[in-house]
Amino acid sequence: MKIAVAGASGALGSAIVRELGDSGHTVFRLVRGESRGLDEIGWDPSYGRIPAGALSGLDAVVNLYSTGLAGKRWNAAQKQKIRDSRVVAADTLAAAVRDCGVPLLLNGSETAYYGDTQDRQVSEGDPVGTGFHAELCRDWEAAAEAAGPDTRLLLLRFGTVLGRNSGVVKAQAPAFRAFLGGRLGRGDQYLPWITMADAAAAVRFLMTADGVAGPVNVTAPDPRPQREFAAALGRALGRPALWTLPRPVLRAALGEYADGFYTGQRAVPEVLTAAGFEFRHAELGAALQAVLKAGS
């Protein structure tokens, strides 16, 4: 297949590009500005611009483009920037997919779509939750609908993606190594997780899962409470999970963005499992050991 990937420079995007390339697909990276090589397609996601016909001849487009949630304290302007980066880019690519007749669009989203579900299990048929992050995912997914009825649309609701040099593992490992690691608040908020290797493999698998469309939870089948994740990460690093980080402390440092660490989704991958996807890492402890050993 000929596949274009937006957001290819991020940790997850890079892993997906490698997975697709290793599987024999031809991969093009969507890059901001002018293309600099035969494997690049230039566009301007900030202003919703892509050259006419730029996606012609492609078999699929994977859209992971977004502005990161972290980095700046959230205020009205920053939240609007976060929202626009996802919605404008998704709408732009979906319209180009439609106009160029691309038969498959895989659009990024997150399990935050379901809001804070506490210990209630959720799958792809459950409704959208409340709060900024849930509504952000709702609008992100809705923008992708511009691809139209002739395109098979997959809405990839990623859980926390575990990679040694990215995301939650990279952020928390230094504290654990310094004997300062532990749970966040009570630690009963569920963490839907998946290893980087499984996330990339799931995207490749869905490319040819012709009967699958709509939302897909890209998560391992066994979401765990955050306190169990903290304990498992500590064991993988040979360190105890001794401490508790109260919500007001992190909120003072990060503002509203910190609230997401104290909420969670007990999301399960019903669609992936029913389609026959086989996880390499289905158990949290073994998954963290594999991630730290592989250095991915």
Side-chain angles (χ1 to χ4, degrees), residues 130-156:
T130 59
F132 169 72
H133 207 164
E135 293 163 5
L136 172 66
C137 292
R138 176 200 65 196
D139 295 346
W140 196 6
E141 294 183 7
E145 298 285 351
D150 295 329
T151 297
R152 180 164 69 99
L153 174 62
L154 291 160
L155 303 169
L156 306 176

Side-chain angles (χ1 to χ4, degrees), residues 17-290:
V17 168
R18 287 194 302 271
E19 178 80 19
L20 294 174
D22 291 346
S23 300
H25 300 297
T26 300
V27 183
F28 300 89
R29 295 170 174 83
L30 280 153
V31 297
R32 295 171 64 97
E34 297 294 327
S35 60
R36 295 174 293 277
L38 296 177
D39 64 342
E40 294 184 347
I41 298 172
W43 72 317
D44 188 344
S46 298
Y47 292 93
R49 299 169 183 160
I50 188 168
L55 305 183
S56 296
L58 294 177
D59 299 298
V61 172
V62 181
N63 176 32
L64 303 173
Y65 182 84
S66 64
T67 292
L69 297 173
K72 295 182 179 180
R73 291 180 69 90
W74 285 7
N75 54 29
Q78 180 64 12
K79 289 197 288 187
Q80 188 65 42
K81 180 179 179 180
I82 290 169
R83 181 187 180 278
D84 288 349
S85 74
R86 288 158 172 76
V87 173
V88 172
D91 182 73
T92 301
L93 285 179
V97 160
R98 179 194 64 223
D99 294 344
C100 293
V102 181
L104 174 60
L105 172 62
L106 300 93
N107 196 76
S109 185
E110 300 171 12
T111 56
Y113 174 93
Y114 304 107
D116 185 11
T117 71
Q118 300 181 12
D119 63 353
R120 176 174 59 90
Q121 183 170 288
V122 291
S123 60
E124 289 84 354
D126 283 277
V128 65
T130 59
F132 169 72
H133 207 164
E135 293 163 5
L136 172 66
C137 292
R138 176 200 65 196
D139 295 346
W140 196 6
E141 294 183 7
E145 298 285 351
D150 295 329
T151 297
R152 180 164 69 99
L153 174 62
L154 291 160
L155 303 169
L156 306 176
R157 294 175 182 166
F158 289 99
T160 296
V161 180
L162 304 181
R164 177 172 181 166
N165 295 317
S166 63
V168 66
V169 175
K170 180 181 179 180
Q172 295 189 15
F176 276 89
R177 291 193 175 100
F179 292 90
L180 296 174
R183 69 177 187 265
L184 302 176
R186 292 172 55 186
D188 53 4
Q189 65 274 31
Y190 270 79
L191 184 76
W193 60 273
I194 188 169
T195 62
M196 190 79 72
D198 273 342
V203 171
R204 174 184 53 78
F205 172 85
L206 289 166
M207 294 277 183
T208 54
D210 293 333
V212 179
V216 181
N217 289 344
V218 187
T219 65
D222 188 29
R224 307 308 303 168
Q226 197 276 331
R227 63 177 177 272
E228 294 186 22
F229 174 83
L233 180 57
R235 287 192 296 271
L237 292 167
R239 297 290 192 272
L242 297 174
W243 304 97
T244 298
L245 184 60
R247 186 171 185 160
V249 173
L250 197 59
R251 209 177 200 280
L254 302 179
E256 185 183 343
Y257 170 61
D259 292 346
F261 294 100
Y262 297 88
T263 60
Q265 303 82 39
R266 192 177 181 180
V268 294
E270 283 192 357
V271 171
L272 266 180
T273 301
F277 179 72
E278 296 184 3
F279 291 87
R280 304 177 202 179
H281 309 113
E283 190 275 322
L284 179 59
L288 286 168
Q289 292 281 2

